[in-house]
Structures are given as structure tokens and as C-alpha cells.
Amino acid sequence: MITIQRALISVSDKTGLVPLAQTLHEFGCEIISTGGTGKVLQDNGIPITEIQSVTGNPEAFGGRMKTISFVIESALLFDREKDQAEARTLNIQPIDMVVCNLYPFKNVLESGADLETLIENIDIGGPTMVRAAAKNFKYVAVVTDTADYDRIIAELQANQGALSLETRRRLMRKAFNHTADYDAMIATAMDALDGEQSLRLAFIGGKTLRYGENSHQTAMYYREKEAGANSLYDMNVQHGKELSFNNILDIYGAIESVRRLKDSGCAVIKHTNPCGLCEGTEGVDQRTIFEAAWAGDPVSAFGSIIAFNRPVERNTVEFLALDAEDKSQRKFVEVLIAPKFSAESLEYLQLHKNLRVIEYDTSSAMCPKDLRYLNGSLLVQDSDTELYSKLEPVTDIKADVERLHGLLEFGLKAISSIKSNSIILAREKEGLYQLLGMGAGQPNRLISTKLAIEKSRETLSHEYTGDPDQLEAYIKEEIGKAILVSDAFFPFPDNVELAASQGVKIISQPGGSLRDDLVLAACNRLGVAMIFTGLRHFKH
Amino acid sequence: MITIQRALISVSDKTGLVPLAQTLHEFGCEIISTGGTGKVLQDNGIPITEIQSVTGNPEAFGGRMKTISFVIESALLFDREKDQAEARTLNIQPIDMVVCNLYPFKNVLESGADLETLIENIDIGGPTMVRAAAKNFKYVAVVTDTADYDRIIAELQANQGALSLETRRRLMRKAFNHTADYDAMIATAMDALDGEQSLRLAFIGGKTLRYGENSHQTAMYYREKEAGANSLYDMNVQHGKELSFNNILDIYGAIESVRRLKDSGCAVIKHTNPCGLCEGTEGVDQRTIFEAAWAGDPVSAFGSIIAFNRPVERNTVEFLALDAEDKSQRKFVEVLIAPKFSAESLEYLQLHKNLRVIEYDTSSAMCPKDLRYLNGSLLVQDSDTELYSKLEPVTDIKADVERLHGLLEFGLKAISSIKSNSIILAREKEGLYQLLGMGAGQPNRLISTKLAIEKSRETLSHEYTGDPDQLEAYIKEEIGKAILVSDAFFPFPDNVELAASQGVKIISQPGGSLRDDLVLAACNRLGVAMIFTGLRHFKH
């Protein structure tokens, strides 16, 4: 423990300053202070020693020189054991604490200030004393964050004005992180002013995962330091086994898949793609939505990751039949995500020991940026948030874009969540928008179309309970009411020909191919209504 | 221009010190210096002013205090216009240049030093004078990198001992980047010592791309500051249109696909997956390898990205038939990558104005780490570099692992490059290892198997020139000689059953499913030889 007998306080942000200084004062600590800070303290009846009387120097050059001096930095830096005699000879008296926050470069930067103003707001004396105090944390405490004041006050009060080594060490780490962030901001801003684009990212709270994408790869998971409240890292694990690397990847995919659905929705994720997705218009209960999402690919849904964008009640998750006596009826999934799980739903889900249950506010904003690290380089783009630039019927048969509007939006949200080349079929039925089938990640779009149609046929066969002889007619009828959505344009008419042969009547695609005329001619020949959306949705 | 009349030199790394100081001296510059630096200069006949005589303070506390003082920082910081009178009153004489490199914290860190040693190597005075000089770059030059000395010397010599504002501004940016890097390193190291894992990444040289993954997304491309010589950013664009976001993603996929091939290889990439891949054993010419890779999916190969791991000659790329009179014979690809293109090959490729031609050393080491940014969080893993932990024949029919060794390695390299769930068929024929067909990115492994077999059948049909009645027999025979490789284990025997029904005789998979016994029983029943590799290769 070090009793704080002498503190140097020089802060730009005066929040919480008085109670902290008051506490120090009550324990007999001498407070050395600079101009503005000193004035606030004196106005509040706290006696101070003016820094000039310690340094022997005036505040000079428009405030550029306040604290930097042989006396102050020596008082912070000297080794209280080895250097004691030398300090006495040089008449250096120790300073045991620095309280300092730096000139608000960030605010000035965000205000769009010019170079001269920015430069004037680069703090030199602050980082010097912060870094000096941090280096000598064995004897000195350095406080750089107003959010720490309460804790410091409590510790001072509990220890007659002293702080522990543990606290000083924690504060030291915070201090170096603070000066690192500060200079990162300055460096990036100065580069940008000269047209040099640089980027500095800081990540904290690294957790070691059991392993990476595969068991022979080690892995860590970090929080982005400057991330807002919707950082994926902050998801709240309510139950279940430790999250794996692949869980986290899939959870991200799951959240992105339901985040943009306006009404209550559910996504079933496998290998980051939604293989089931459903949105219910108002009045449809969540259980029904869950069942319809699951029905999109009930085989792949086993071992999947499921996300909801509305609070979950027990009735919804009872669909998993975790307590079914016949174990083969139990639906095993890896992870469930929702903004909130009711106590009853959580209790039910806990029947499965390993099932991870996660609360995350899926209504929070989409991440504005998308980063891809590629061997010593980084691609940064803003996220794909727009759905379409137009909804233009372009064929002889005009799609009723107004009537289809909800379904089109659903389909475009779905396709934006699926790896390219992607094709989906989606329908509206009984108040539900449902993904009937999807084809993902194919080098050849035609295969994606084939996959999406095959999957849709399976989904429809599975739900059909009527006369087997009428099954094919049913499938064709349902496919005829659905829309086929393509993430990118069709380079040739072959996709249209395949889709039409399987009963597809409405197709949405960005348009813009050199051969749009051939594609449209095929649509007109085959009685297909096509809509151009103007926006591609590649995702890799 | 500012003439450097007074310079403060205090460097840890003495490289290049003498010629720089000599130049300054020749132009009549006074050199203020600290202990070690001063000694080197004096030994080389360059007169110095000892820092103590300027500061009026001794070097103190085991070297912790050398330069920090009211005099030095004032001399660096005061405004040469506004503050001139004040400086005169305070007897502060300007210092026009700081040459400083910081204590080598990085070296000490990498040597595995303990906390005390690390702390002792945190430079306080250095960053203070560097930052002070940088802040006042309007009048002061700050040199922090020995690599800049030659350029500085040349500029001093060209300008009678003066440096331009442009140079000082560039040096200022470098200085703030240097202190940002320095404190980032300290912060991360101090965190790590306390078990707090933090990570700071710096990226430079940001280039604005035309757009992101889609035209409504803006995008930038950066170099990782600390990346080694194999940064993807440093690829050398020899010809063609500006690279797009998707090009860069695919180029990465292409390089990773050929990087690990031992012999001459070629990858054909679409949407980041290799849809064609081939490796030739010695003596096989590159053109043949290219043709065999292309044959893996000649439809998808149009508009693809192609990578070679050997220098490319004209004969190889003539396969693209860019000069064919019949335009439909010309093979359009987006990008070609190789360690080197001969002048003749480049001349040929320039026939196509838009085709991007890129030189990159594909033999350089794989990137050790793999980062995934997920909405305010970051997954970091080491790359998937191992292929297998064993090659164990596990069925009644024992695969001849020794004979198959080369093909197995090729197949495992291929599967490691393809998005999960992935299944491939690969064969060895006439000195070539060739990807016959692949199924990628499917939620249900059975669909990947189906896709891989269908594609392989197409490939084989396409190459077959014999009696049409014998085609099916040919396909079965070739598939029987190929291996089917799965990126992960089979949860059920259905994949084996499907594969066997199509003629597959050899399957490689990690093993480790709860139902391995059922899978092996199916193999034994159906005459399939299975090999367990022990390692999964998920990739998302």
C-alpha cells in the first residue's frame, strides 16, 4: 500500500474532480494543481499548491508548458528505494499520484477542426506525466479515467488514504492504453489530413477459446475497444456449454439474418447461412414462425443455430421437444438466440445441458462496417444495408410490386444473408413469409437455382398431406405463387428457363447484365414476371 | 524552409548516426546530446553540447531523467512567432531538430524479459521530446527512423542545412505513428502480463476501391503495418483494370489454394472457392496443368480468378485463346496470378485490356493468423496449416495409403481451401493430381456429396471421347480410382451409400463421429476403403 501524500491533479474534464480531491485532502494529501483545475478546487474550498511553486517555472507559451519540468517528472519517476539519497540531494519530493485526463483531441477532431486547432489540442505535458507515473507504478498511482474516481475514493477511504499495488498496476495498464489510444487517434488524424489513410484498431478482453475453426487451430475472441453497445462480444450467455469459434461465427450469421426483419422472425443457421428463415405478420405466434423456419430444411436444422428477433416464451421452444420420451423426437440444436428468454422458456431449455442460450438485442443497429483480413492486408467496406434501388417490373407480365412488396423485402433480406452465388425461393402464406429453399455458395448460378428449387420441392412435399397424385400439382401451384430471388444478375437465360420449367412465375434480380434482353425475352416467352431491383447482394 | 541551427540528438540505435550529425555539423548546427550518443559523436570528432549544460540539471536516477526539463521542451514547443518575446524573457533558445529513437522495448519484450526489465525499458523522455517536436513541426523537424537519415542528409545538403515544411510535416506524422506504435506495444505487453489479452492492429496505405462487395457499398484496402514481405497488399499488378473488392477476396482464395501445392499447380477460383485445381508431378508442363484445372469446371471458369505457383510462360496462357478469331473461343478470366510472368506471356495477356495480371510470390509462407471481424468483436485463430494427424486405413478393404499419399495430400489441400460443408473428388492420372468435382457451402453434407459427384461426372463425360455406350462404364471406372475427401466426419452412413452407388471406392474423412461404427459398416458392406485423417478442415 502507498499512502497518497502528494498528488498532482491536472484535468481537462472536470467531472467528479471535487469529490476525489476532497477525499485526498481529507487524508492530508497535498494537492498540486494547474490553472483551471486549481481554480475549481479552490472554489470548492480545497487548498492547492500551485504547480509553478513546485516547478519554479511559470506556465508559459499559451499553456504549452505547464507541468513538464525536471522537478515534476523526477518526483514521479525516481525509485523510492534506490534513488532516495539522490532525490534528497536534488531536493526532489515524491509525487504519489497523478490525476490527469488529456486535452479532448477526439472531440476537436469530430468537430471537423482544421490542422492548427488540432495541433493546439495535442497534449504534450499530460502524456508525459501520465507515462512517467505509469512507469513508476510501483510507487505512484495514475488516474486517467473519470469513471475510476468512485472506486479510487472507496479504496482511499477503506485504507486511510492509501492505494494498493494491485490498483496501481491496474491503473498503470489503463494509462498506457490511454496514451496508446490517444496517439493512435492523433497519428490517424494527421495521416488523414495528408491524404494518407491509416487505420488503428484496438481489441480488449481476449478470451481463449477451446480451439479455432478446427481442433488443431488455437483461437481467441476479443471485444473491439470502441465498439458500441451492440458488440457481439457482449452477448449474454444464459445457459450452456462454452461457445466455440464456429458457434460465434454462426451466431453472427443468425443475428444478421433476423436483425432486419420488421416483424417477428426466426432464422435457422448452418455454416453461417440461413437454411430456414421465416417472418410472421402481426398476430402470427412465434411458435408457428419457428416451425415454418424449421420446415425450410428440417434435416440441416439438426445441430443448427437458431435466432429470434422477439422475446421468447416457453411455448415457442417446446417445439424442440427436449423432454420427449422418444429421444428421436427431440430436436437437437447448438445455440438459441433472442433478445430475451422468459424464465419459463429458459427453464425448459436447460433440460438440455449443452444447449447454449444467448440473449442479444437483435433490434440494435447493424454493424456499420465489414472487415476482411487477408494475409497482412485488410478490406474494409460499409455493410450491405440497402435492399433495392428500385422495384421495377420489366416483363410483359407485370409483377404486382405493391402486393408483393412485403415478400420482396423478405426475400431480399434473406438473399443478403446467404453466401454467393445464391438463389432462394420465398413465399407468403397465412400471414407468414417463408424461405422455401435456398442454393448457396456455388460457382455456377444455375446450380444454386437447381438447389433452391430442389429444396423448395422437398419443403412442399413435406408439408403436403393431400392426395399423393395431386402432389406435383400442389408443388407447381405453390412454386408459382412464390418468388425466386437472385443475389446477382443472370448472365444467360438458362436460369430463367430452368426456373420456369419448375413452375416459377415471379423472379427478382438486380438486372444489368449485357444480355438482359435475352433474359427478358425468355421470361416473356415462358410467362415469367421479372422485377429488377437495381442492387446486387454478393456476400462471400 | 527551416535551417537547423540547433539539434538535439539522443538515440538508442546508433546506426547511421555519425554521417547525419556530421552533415548537421558541417552546416554549422549546434548538436546537443545525451551520454551515450554524445560519446559516439565525440569519438568521431563531432563537437557536442552536453544536455546538462542546456537543462542545468544532471542526468539523474539511473538515466530515468536525461532530457525532460522546462528548457528542452520549451525550446521545442514555443511558437517561433507568437512566443518569441516570452522565449527571450525566459532565456529559451529554440531547438530546430530532434533525432531520437526510443529504448528498444520491442527487443526486450521479445527476449522474454520480466516486468521489472520491461518497465525499465519504457522510454519517458524520448516520447516527450518526440511528441513536443512533432506538435511544433511548423518550426521543428523530428527524426525517429534511422531509415530516413539518408533522405534528410540529402535534403540538408541540397538546402544549406535546411528542411522543408513538407518534410517536417511528413516526419511529424511518422513521429506520432511511432509513439502510437510504441505505447500500443507497451499497453499490450502490460495487459498480457496481467492476463488481460488485448490486441492492437495498425493498417496503413489505405486505398479507396471503386466500391465494396456490391456497388452500393464503399470500400478501402489497407496494408497491415507490421506485415511481413508476403502481405497480399504488396502484390504487384502488372497489367489490367483496377482491382475490385471481390477480386482481392478471390485473389486471396486463389493464392491460398496453390500456395501449399508442392509441385507446379493451378487453381481456378469462383466466389473464393477453387472450382478447378490441379498439380502436376515433375515433367508435366504447366499448360497441361492449367487445362486440367480448367476442365474441373469449364463453365464456372469463365470470369474466374486463376493462380499459378510457378513462373508463367506464354505457352501456358495461350490456352486462353485471347487472340482467337472466333470470339466465342476466347476464354475470359478476371485475374491471373503467378510468382512471375515472362515478358512474352505478359505481352500476350495484354491482348485483353481489362484482364488483371498479378505477380505474387506464392511460395512465401502462409499467413500465420486468420481474423474475423464480427460486429464489434474479433475472432483470431492460427491458420489451418496441418493436413492430417494420421492416415489410417479403417475398413476391411485397406486403402494403400503409401501409394495414395500424394493424392491424399492434394485432396486435403483442396478441401482445406473450400467452404464447408465440402466434399471433393480428386484423382491421379498421367502425372496429374486433379480436382474432378467439388460440392461447397452446403448446410447438408449429403448435398455437397451429390454436387461433387455430379460435377465429377460432367468432367469425365466431357473428357471422354470413346464409344458413347461405354461412357457410363468409363465414368464408374474413373470414379472408382478417385478419392472422395470430406472436410468433416460423416454423421450417418448416407454419404457413403450415395458415394458407393456412384462408384466411389476410396473415401478420406477425419473420423470421430458417434456413429463411426455405422459408417464403417456401410463401407464394409459396400466395398469402400476408408481412411481416417484425424483432422477436420472446416472453413467458413
Side-chain angles (χ1 to χ4, degrees):
Chain A
M1 303 293 292
I2 296 279
T3 300
I4 311 300
Q5 295 178 290
R6 211 163 164 239
L8 167 52
I9 309 187
S10 175
V11 293
S12 167
D13 177 356
K14 311 288 189 293
T15 312
L17 168 65
V18 172
L20 176 63
Q22 187 66 46
T23 306
L24 288 165
H25 173 60
E26 280 162 17
F27 286 106
C29 174
E30 178 192 357
I31 295 172
I32 306 165
S33 195
T34 53
T37 307
K39 190 172 179 319
V40 172
L41 296 180
Q42 285 178 311
D43 289 351
N44 283 274
I46 301 164
I48 61 148
T49 304
E50 286 187 4
I51 186 115
Q52 293 92 321
S53 72
V54 180
T55 62
N57 305 316
E59 179 171 317
F61 309 123
R64 284 188 172 194
M65 290 299 291
K66 283 183 201 158
T67 62
I68 299 177
S69 58
F70 181 77
V71 178
I72 294 292
E73 271 71 26
S74 290
L76 293 171
L77 273 172
F78 84 86
D79 187 311
R80 275 37 168 178
E81 288 151 64
K82 281 194 298 202
D83 299 332
Q84 209 167 20
E86 193 178 353
R88 215 173 299 124
T89 309
L90 292 168
N91 199 24
I92 299 296
Q93 292 176 22
I95 296 174
D96 312 307
M97 179 188 260
V98 164
V99 181
C100 176
N101 47 60
L102 308 177
Y103 291 176
F105 186 83
K106 190 178 182 180
N107 301 352
V108 179
L109 181 63
E110 284 168 358
S111 75
D114 61 7
L115 175 63
E116 201 162 333
T117 311
L118 286 173
I119 285 286
E120 216 44 60
N121 277 280
I122 294 175
D123 199 330
I124 304 299
T128 299
M129 60 186 177
V130 164
R131 297 179 77 260
K135 173 164 175 145
N136 213 16
F137 76 93
K138 206 169 154 187
Y139 309 103
V140 183
V142 54
V143 184
T144 53
D145 186 353
T146 58
D148 285 331
Y149 290 1
D150 284 350
R151 207 166 144 184
I152 304 279
I153 290 171
E155 189 172 336
L156 288 167
Q157 285 172 342
N159 300 289
Q160 277 71 53
L163 292 176
S164 69
L165 178 62
E166 193 194 331
T167 295
R168 296 195 308 276
R169 186 160 168 164
R170 185 176 58 76
L171 291 169
M172 171 275 284
R173 291 200 285 116
K174 196 151 184 174
F176 281 120
N177 274 286
H178 189 49
T179 56
D181 289 340
Y182 191 72
D183 277 5
M185 200 161 49
I186 294 169
T188 307
M190 292 298 131
D191 279 350
L193 281 175
D194 277 8
E196 164 84 14
Q197 300 301 323
S198 60
L199 179 69
R200 288 173 180 271
L201 302 171
F203 299 93
I204 56 174
K207 300 186 246 192
T208 303
L209 301 177
R210 224 172 123 211
Y211 48 77
E213 221 163 349
N214 302 290
S215 64
H216 56 291
Q217 294 166 267
T218 63
M220 300 278 297
Y221 187 47
Y222 297 90
R223 186 184 202 283
E224 188 178 17
K225 201 172 178 190
E226 298 298 318
N230 67 339
S231 167
L232 188 68
Y233 185 94
D234 298 340
M235 59 183 154
N236 193 349
V237 182
Q238 294 286 346
H239 173 66
K241 225 166 62 171
E242 193 194 333
L243 290 175
S244 74
F245 186 100
N246 292 320
N247 285 161
I248 295 168
L249 268 185
D250 282 333
I251 288 168
Y252 176 67
I255 288 170
E256 296 308 305
S257 297
V258 294
R259 197 193 275 286
R260 289 190 289 176
L261 300 179
K262 269 199 312 262
D263 289 315
S264 177
C266 173
V268 179
I269 301 293
K270 207 66 178 286
H271 294 291
T272 76
N273 286 316
C275 60
L277 187 69
C278 184
E279 181 181 16
T281 52
E282 42 183 319
V284 181
D285 79 344
Q286 197 179 43
R287 166 77 171 258
T288 306
I289 294 162
F290 186 13
E291 289 179 12
W294 188 274
D297 192 342
V299 174
S300 303
F302 272 82
S304 67
I305 274 81
I306 312 269
F308 299 94
N309 62 354
R310 292 286 185 282
V312 164
E313 296 294 335
R314 179 168 172 134
N315 177 55
T316 299
V317 292
E318 277 180 350
F319 172 61
L320 294 172
L322 297 179
D323 51 356
E325 279 193 35
D326 174 359
K327 283 191 182 178
S328 73
Q329 295 300 305
R330 298 181 190 174
K331 297 181 183 74
F332 168 64
V333 300
E334 288 263 342
V335 185
L336 282 174
I337 307 142
K340 181 83 194 152
F341 287 88
S342 71
E344 296 74 23
S345 69
L346 195 55
E347 188 190 42
Y348 182 79
L349 293 170
Q350 284 164 348
L351 287 173
H352 195 311
K353 189 168 54 94
N354 290 338
L355 174 63
R356 290 105 172 156
V357 180
I358 287 167
E359 289 186 350
Y360 178 89
D361 177 12
T362 53
S363 73
S364 62
M366 261 184 84
C367 181
K369 63 180 188 275
D370 176 19
L371 272 58
R372 313 287 177 91
Y373 179 83
L374 309 170
N375 197 3
S377 72
L378 188 76
L379 282 169
V380 180
Q381 63 176 346
D382 50 31
S383 297
D384 181 14
T385 51
E386 284 174 74
L387 291 178
Y388 52 85
S389 62
K390 60 181 177 185
L391 290 175
E392 184 187 355
V394 285
T395 39
D396 292 348
I397 302 180
K398 300 281 173 242
D400 184 347
V401 171
E402 213 161 305
R403 183 182 61 80
L404 290 169
H405 192 263
L407 180 59
L408 277 166
E409 288 217 334
F410 173 80
L412 290 168
K413 287 169 187 170
I415 208 82
S416 302
S417 308
I418 299 173
K419 294 239 171 87
S420 302
N421 289 323
S422 59
I423 296 281
I424 62 149
L425 265 82
R427 70 169 171 189
E428 179 178 5
K429 193 170 189 177
E430 293 160 9
L432 293 174
Y433 299 124
Q434 184 190 20
L435 180 63
L436 278 181
M438 66 110 186
Q442 294 307 303
N444 181 341
R445 182 164 302 282
L446 197 60
I447 300 176
S448 296
T449 300
K450 216 182 204 168
L451 289 172
I453 290 171
E454 278 170 17
K455 197 84 242 11
S456 298
R457 289 183 57 90
E458 269 178 51
T459 304
L460 294 167
S461 305
H462 200 260
E463 74 182 16
Y464 183 69
T465 52
D467 175 1
D469 289 346
Q470 298 299 310
L471 173 61
E472 190 60 30
Y474 176 75
I475 288 174
K476 284 276 159 66
E477 193 192 330
E478 288 298 307
I479 286 183
K481 289 187 285 188
I483 54 168
L484 182 147
V485 182
S486 175
D487 65 346
F489 66 58
F490 296 119
F492 298 100
D494 51 359
N495 278 280
V496 171
E497 287 156 5
L498 172 63
S501 76
Q502 297 292 313
V504 172
K505 299 274 182 216
I506 314 165
I507 296 179
S508 160
Q509 61 129 321
S513 159
L514 278 175
R515 299 187 197 82
D516 273 352
D517 53 343
L518 296 181
V519 170
L520 293 181
C523 287
N524 290 333
R525 192 174 73 242
L526 299 164
V528 170
M530 184 165 275
I531 299 153
F532 279 0
T533 65
L535 292 192
R536 189 176 74 185
H537 291 292
F538 270 164
K539 178 169 189 257
H540 297 96
Chain B
M1 305 291 292
I2 296 280
T3 301
I4 311 300
Q5 295 179 290
R6 213 162 165 238
L8 167 52
I9 309 186
S10 176
V11 293
S12 169
D13 177 356
K14 310 288 190 294
T15 312
L17 168 64
V18 173
L20 176 64
Q22 187 66 48
T23 307
L24 288 165
H25 173 60
E26 280 162 17
F27 288 107
C29 174
E30 177 191 358
I31 294 173
I32 306 164
S33 195
T34 54
T37 306
K39 190 170 180 321
V40 172
L41 295 179
Q42 283 178 314
D43 288 353
N44 283 274
I46 301 164
I48 61 147
T49 304
E50 287 188 2
I51 186 117
Q52 294 90 322
S53 72
V54 180
T55 63
N57 306 314
E59 179 170 317
F61 309 123
R64 285 189 172 193
M65 290 298 292
K66 283 182 201 158
T67 62
I68 299 177
S69 59
F70 182 77
V71 177
I72 294 292
E73 273 70 27
S74 290
L76 293 171
L77 272 173
F78 84 86
D79 186 313
R80 274 37 167 178
E81 288 151 65
K82 279 194 300 203
D83 300 332
Q84 208 166 20
E86 192 177 355
R88 213 172 300 121
T89 308
L90 293 168
N91 200 23
I92 300 297
Q93 290 174 23
I95 296 175
D96 311 307
M97 180 189 260
V98 164
V99 181
C100 176
N101 47 60
L102 308 177
Y103 290 175
F105 186 83
K106 190 177 181 180
N107 301 353
V108 178
L109 182 63
E110 283 167 358
S111 75
D114 62 6
L115 176 63
E116 203 163 331
T117 311
L118 286 173
I119 285 287
E120 216 44 60
N121 276 279
I122 294 175
D123 199 330
I124 305 298
T128 299
M129 61 186 176
V130 164
R131 297 180 77 260
K135 172 164 174 146
N136 213 17
F137 76 93
K138 205 167 154 190
Y139 309 103
V140 183
V142 53
V143 184
T144 54
D145 185 353
T146 56
D148 285 330
Y149 291 0
D150 284 349
R151 204 165 147 187
I152 304 278
I153 290 170
E155 189 173 337
L156 289 168
Q157 284 171 340
N159 300 289
Q160 276 73 51
L163 292 176
S164 69
L165 178 62
E166 193 194 331
T167 295
R168 298 194 307 277
R169 185 159 169 166
R170 185 175 58 76
L171 292 169
M172 171 274 285
R173 292 201 284 116
K174 197 152 185 175
F176 281 119
N177 275 286
H178 188 49
T179 56
D181 288 341
Y182 191 71
D183 277 5
M185 201 162 45
I186 294 170
T188 307
M190 293 298 130
D191 279 350
L193 281 175
D194 277 8
E196 164 83 14
Q197 300 301 324
S198 60
L199 180 68
R200 287 174 181 270
L201 302 170
F203 299 92
I204 56 173
K207 299 186 247 192
T208 303
L209 302 177
R210 224 173 121 211
Y211 49 77
E213 221 162 351
N214 302 291
S215 63
H216 55 291
Q217 294 166 268
T218 63
M220 301 277 299
Y221 187 47
Y222 297 89
R223 186 185 202 283
E224 188 179 16
K225 201 173 179 188
E226 298 298 318
N230 66 340
S231 167
L232 189 66
Y233 185 95
D234 299 339
M235 60 183 155
N236 193 349
V237 183
Q238 294 286 348
H239 174 66
K241 225 165 62 170
E242 193 195 334
L243 290 175
S244 74
F245 186 100
N246 292 319
N247 286 161
I248 295 168
L249 269 185
D250 281 333
I251 288 167
Y252 175 68
I255 289 170
E256 295 309 305
S257 297
V258 296
R259 197 194 275 287
R260 288 189 290 176
L261 301 179
K262 269 198 313 262
D263 289 315
S264 177
C266 173
V268 179
I269 300 293
K270 206 67 177 284
H271 295 290
T272 76
N273 286 316
C275 60
L277 187 69
C278 184
E279 181 180 17
T281 52
E282 41 182 320
V284 180
D285 78 344
Q286 197 179 41
R287 167 75 170 259
T288 306
I289 294 163
F290 186 11
E291 289 178 11
W294 188 276
D297 192 343
V299 174
S300 303
F302 272 82
S304 67
I305 275 82
I306 312 270
F308 300 92
N309 63 353
R310 291 288 185 279
V312 164
E313 296 294 335
R314 179 169 172 133
N315 177 53
T316 299
V317 292
E318 278 179 350
F319 172 61
L320 294 172
L322 297 179
D323 50 357
E325 279 192 34
D326 175 358
K327 283 191 182 179
S328 72
Q329 295 300 306
R330 298 181 189 174
K331 298 183 183 73
F332 169 63
V333 300
E334 288 263 342
V335 185
L336 283 173
I337 307 142
K340 181 82 195 153
F341 288 87
S342 71
E344 295 74 22
S345 70
L346 196 56
E347 188 191 42
Y348 182 80
L349 292 170
Q350 284 165 346
L351 287 173
H352 194 311
K353 188 168 56 94
N354 291 339
L355 174 62
R356 291 106 173 155
V357 181
I358 288 167
E359 289 186 350
Y360 178 90
D361 177 10
T362 53
S363 73
S364 63
M366 259 184 86
C367 181
K369 62 178 188 277
D370 176 19
L371 273 57
R372 312 287 177 93
Y373 178 83
L374 309 171
N375 198 3
S377 72
L378 188 77
L379 283 168
V380 180
Q381 63 176 348
D382 50 32
S383 297
D384 181 14
T385 52
E386 285 174 73
L387 292 178
Y388 52 85
S389 62
K390 59 181 178 186
L391 290 176
E392 186 187 355
V394 285
T395 40
D396 292 348
I397 303 181
K398 299 282 175 239
D400 184 347
V401 171
E402 214 160 303
R403 184 181 61 81
L404 290 170
H405 194 264
L407 179 60
L408 277 166
E409 289 216 333
F410 172 79
L412 290 168
K413 287 168 187 170
I415 208 83
S416 302
S417 307
I418 298 174
K419 294 241 169 87
S420 303
N421 289 323
S422 59
I423 296 282
I424 61 150
L425 265 83
R427 70 168 172 190
E428 179 177 7
K429 193 169 189 179
E430 293 160 9
L432 293 174
Y433 298 124
Q434 184 190 20
L435 180 63
L436 278 180
M438 66 111 185
Q442 294 307 301
N444 181 343
R445 182 164 303 280
L446 197 59
I447 299 176
S448 296
T449 300
K450 215 183 211 171
L451 290 172
I453 290 171
E454 278 171 16
K455 196 87 243 7
S456 298
R457 289 182 57 91
E458 268 177 51
T459 305
L460 294 167
S461 305
H462 200 260
E463 74 181 18
Y464 182 70
T465 52
D467 175 1
D469 288 345
Q470 297 300 312
L471 172 62
E472 190 59 31
Y474 176 74
I475 288 174
K476 284 275 158 67
E477 193 191 329
E478 288 297 307
I479 287 183
K481 290 187 285 189
I483 54 167
L484 182 149
V485 182
S486 175
D487 65 347
F489 65 59
F490 296 119
F492 298 100
D494 51 359
N495 278 280
V496 171
E497 286 156 4
L498 171 63
S501 76
Q502 297 292 312
V504 172
K505 299 277 182 213
I506 314 166
I507 296 178
S508 160
Q509 61 129 322
S513 159
L514 278 175
R515 299 187 196 82
D516 273 352
D517 53 344
L518 296 180
V519 170
L520 294 181
C523 288
N524 290 333
R525 192 174 72 243
L526 298 165
V528 170
M530 184 165 275
I531 299 154
F532 279 0
T533 64
L535 292 191
R536 188 176 75 184
H537 292 292
F538 269 165
K539 178 170 189 257
H540 298 96

